[in-house]
Amino acid sequence: MITSAIGENKNFYIETYGCQMNVADSEVVTSIMSTAGFVQTPTLDQADVIFVNTCAVRENAEARVYGRLGDFKHLKKANPGVIVGVLGCMAERLRKDLMESESFVDLVVGPDEYRNLPKLVDNAVAGERGIAVRLSRVENYDDIIPFRADGISAWISVMRGCDKFCTFCVVPFTRGRERSRSLASIVREVEDLSKRGFKEVTLLGQNVNSYLDQSWDFADLLAAVAKVDKSMRIRFTTSHPQDMSDKLIDTIVQNSNVCNYIHLPVQSGSDRVLELMNRTYSAEHYLKLVGKIKQTIPGVSLSTDIIAGFPTETAEDHRTTIELLKEVGYDGAFTFKYSPRENTKAWNMADDVPEELKVERLNEIIDVQREISFRKNRTMVGGTVEVLVEGESRKSTSEYCGRTETNKMVVFPKNGFGAGDYIHVRIERANSATLFGAHVSC
Ligand code: SAH
Ligand code: SF4
Ligand code: F3S
């Protein structure tokens, strides 16, 4: 056990930006700090230690964190004893520069150094600023049980890092090389979550389907996790098209509690752009894969990530992306304007699509996808879906919300059930993002 002389009676506060991997990492940090005797506080004004777990994927992600650091700077002025630590991908990317530009920051700690946090905080209290940004080939926090409040859904990090090196992306630099946790410890974690009443787990990794523990691949992991508790829904994200094996597709269909939903980012519909991005597949190859998935998994729901305005992207390239969106008929898409990131390969390509054009293309992509999502959701009106109730809807205290297996959000009036229950809902109306209906007994 890690112990800290100063942990006792000291409160720490943690704020998280970025992807679900960061959310999962903050649970690991909370576990490490709590074991060392620190107490988590949900309020900033009671904190002796403030951590901000950061994202570096696009410039605007970093801008948000800089904005927040401005608040912490004021706080530190009023209370110089408070320790401020920047964790995560921005810490890893900016390292010493961050220390130099933000003189009130005490600690800069990258994603593979969290075990050292209590010690680093200890030193910071004694007046020593610290920087720890070594990336590891082996660290996967396999032995640390992440701190999770009770709930319905849990996220489990099963692998870390990325070896794909898409030319636009900082993740391989901020997260380091791919490494997987052991299958046995993941299964144990799911068993514990099941005993605690969780109803859904999402297996996480930047390339979750390149998971490998000895000879067990991601399909083996998925099958093992699915067996633990058949009343638990199993999800996973993010899948890279290159690692989407037939065995994995079969495993999804063979296990009833593995959700028929795959987030399968394509990024662009143009072969020329895909090549420049180093995505390792052509549009044709991707579409074949989607065809196989749709054929094997009836009713499967698909989503994607799209980047608008990658260097040299022409009107014709953009058109092929729109066509691909229509051809696949995604249920949803996460869409981004290209943002140049230092040290990536694309950084050396001219960022030559003008801002107005990037915005125009992005908006067209969003509009086209919204129309597709609406059309797909509308076909569900009149039908009945199984929903896992998550809790009160955001807009009304008299309604609950929950998701279908295919990850569609459903809103319905409260009617004698509660969070964590599986119920049937008859769909009465739909928009592009949400289905609305009422509980029916089947
Ligand atoms: N590992 C996942 C997700 C990585 S980050 C994957 O491979 O799909 C999430 C998304 O952010 C990416 O899929 C990509 O669409 C987007 N993204 C990453 N770097 C970006 C950049 N420099 N500019 C704009 N979007 C970017
Ligand atoms: Fe980034 Fe590509 Fe790795 Fe995804 S697969 S994290 S986009 S480098
Ligand atoms: Fe951001 Fe790092 Fe996740 S860059 S998207 S927090 S892996």
Side-chain angles (χ1 to χ4, degrees):
M1 188 165 111
I2 309 161
T3 51
S4 165
I6 58 120
E8 260 165 83
N9 306 322
K10 286 231 182 300
N11 294 331
F12 74 98
Y13 166 90
I14 185 161
E15 202 166 285
T16 307
Y17 294 81
C19 63
Q20 286 300 330
M21 305 273 315
N22 255 16
V23 176
D25 275 4
S26 287
E27 293 174 347
V28 166
V29 168
T30 300
S31 176
I32 290 170
M33 292 295 285
S34 305
T35 305
F38 292 84
V39 177
Q40 187 178 24
T41 168
T43 52
L44 203 49
D45 50 339
Q46 284 178 7
D48 304 298
V49 182
I50 299 170
F51 289 145
V52 52
N53 194 0
T54 62
C55 173
V57 78
R58 284 169 294 274
E59 201 181 339
N60 57 7
E62 290 195 354
R64 272 184 79 198
V65 171
Y66 276 122
R68 194 61 177 137
L69 285 178
D71 300 336
F72 298 153
K73 187 177 178 172
H74 287 302
L75 219 139
K76 176 113 180 174
K77 228 181 217 155
N79 179 6
V82 77
I83 303 297
V84 177
V86 178
L87 318 183
C89 291
M90 254 174 99
E92 191 64 48
R93 190 178 91 73
L94 296 164
R95 305 171 164 220
K96 214 163 75 268
D97 294 350
L98 195 64
M99 229 25 173
E100 281 163 11
S101 66
E102 311 296 318
S103 55
F104 66 96
V105 169
D106 300 284
L107 299 173
V108 170
V109 183
D112 288 348
E113 293 268 23
Y114 295 150
R115 284 180 202 269
N116 296 322
L117 275 172
K119 182 87 194 105
L120 288 162
V121 169
D122 224 346
N123 295 346
V125 169
E128 191 187 319
R129 295 174 82 204
I131 176 159
V133 288
R134 190 184 45 91
L135 285 172
S136 160
R137 283 182 178 269
V138 291
E139 179 61 273
N140 54 25
Y141 301 112
D142 207 19
D143 57 318
I144 291 175
I145 300 163
F147 174 84
R148 294 188 185 94
D150 284 337
I152 308 300
S153 299
W155 304 81
I156 304 184
S157 201
V158 301
M159 54 86 69
R160 300 177 72 82
C162 179
D163 290 349
K164 291 283 191 288
F165 287 93
C166 301
T167 57
F168 50 80
C169 186
V170 290
V171 172
F173 304 98
T174 62
R175 294 264 167 183
R177 298 289 62 75
E178 282 178 11
R179 66 219 98 118
S180 298
R181 287 180 52 188
S182 77
L183 182 140
S185 92
I186 297 164
V187 167
R188 260 199 313 275
E189 200 171 328
V190 176
E191 285 166 353
D192 286 345
L193 290 167
S194 160
K195 282 187 199 125
R196 282 177 61 189
F198 280 83
K199 286 290 173 350
E200 182 174 72
V201 296
T202 305
L203 307 180
L204 289 176
Q206 286 299 349
N207 283 300
V208 77
N209 52 344
S210 72
Y211 174 90
L212 194 64
D213 172 26
Q214 299 162 67
S215 61
W216 291 299
D217 63 14
F218 185 64
D220 298 324
L221 175 70
L222 203 55
V225 163
K227 269 196 209 86
V228 170
D229 177 351
K230 284 287 174 191
S231 77
M232 236 178 172
R233 278 183 176 173
I234 313 299
R235 301 185 183 278
F236 53 96
T237 197
T238 294
S239 304
H240 193 291
Q242 188 187 317
D243 302 317
M244 200 71 215
S245 66
D246 290 356
K247 179 178 166 191
L248 177 51
I249 300 171
D250 290 340
T251 304
I252 297 168
V253 82
Q254 282 157 10
N255 289 275
S256 57
N257 56 330
V258 173
C259 291
N260 291 349
Y261 165 61
I262 306 175
H263 182 54
L264 194 68
V266 70
Q267 313 294 358
S268 169
S270 154
D271 287 345
R272 197 184 62 79
V273 172
L274 286 170
E275 171 113 42
L276 283 176
M277 287 176 162
N278 188 32
R279 284 296 290 187
T280 72
Y281 51 81
S282 63
E284 190 192 347
H285 172 260
Y286 181 92
L287 288 168
K288 265 201 192 132
L289 177 61
V290 164
K292 192 160 41 175
I293 291 170
K294 284 182 175 172
Q295 209 171 32
T296 318
I297 313 173
V300 69
S301 160
L302 293 167
S303 62
T304 189
D305 293 347
I306 302 281
I307 296 178
F310 187 79
T312 77
E313 185 187 73
T314 62
E316 176 60 17
D317 293 324
H318 170 65
R319 201 184 52 76
T320 56
T321 299
I322 298 280
E323 269 170 20
L324 184 136
L325 285 178
K326 290 180 179 164
E327 186 157 354
V328 175
Y330 292 105
D331 293 80
F334 301 89
T335 53
F336 311 100
K337 260 187 316 177
Y338 171 65
S339 169
R341 309 310 287 141
E342 215 172 338
N343 293 328
T344 60
K345 271 208 168 140
W347 176 258
N348 299 322
M349 306 174 193
D351 181 21
D352 57 358
V353 178
E355 177 66 16
E356 317 80 71
L357 206 51
K358 277 188 194 168
V359 173
E360 196 180 298
R361 288 179 186 170
L362 182 71
N363 286 341
E364 189 185 349
I365 290 165
I366 292 169
D367 286 348
V368 167
Q369 182 53 47
R370 194 173 288 145
E371 183 56 38
I372 296 169
S373 301
F374 178 52
R375 222 180 40 233
K376 297 199 86 163
N377 286 352
R378 222 173 30 196
T379 65
M380 300 183 73
V381 173
T384 298
V385 292
E386 189 185 52
V387 172
L388 172 60
V389 182
E390 287 177 11
E392 244 170 42
S393 96
R394 251 188 306 157
K395 293 200 177 134
S396 158
T397 51
S398 63
E399 288 176 326
Y400 274 136
C401 66
R403 274 168 211 278
T404 64
E405 172 187 6
T406 53
N407 211 34
K408 293 196 186 279
M409 181 56 84
V410 187
V411 173
F412 42 90
K414 291 183 179 174
N415 186 6
F417 40 78
D421 289 338
Y422 286 101
I423 62 159
H424 285 89
V425 174
R426 192 178 142 81
I427 304 303
E428 292 159 352
R429 64 190 175 89
N431 62 30
S432 64
T434 312
L435 308 171
F436 300 87
H439 171 233
V440 287
S441 26
C442 276

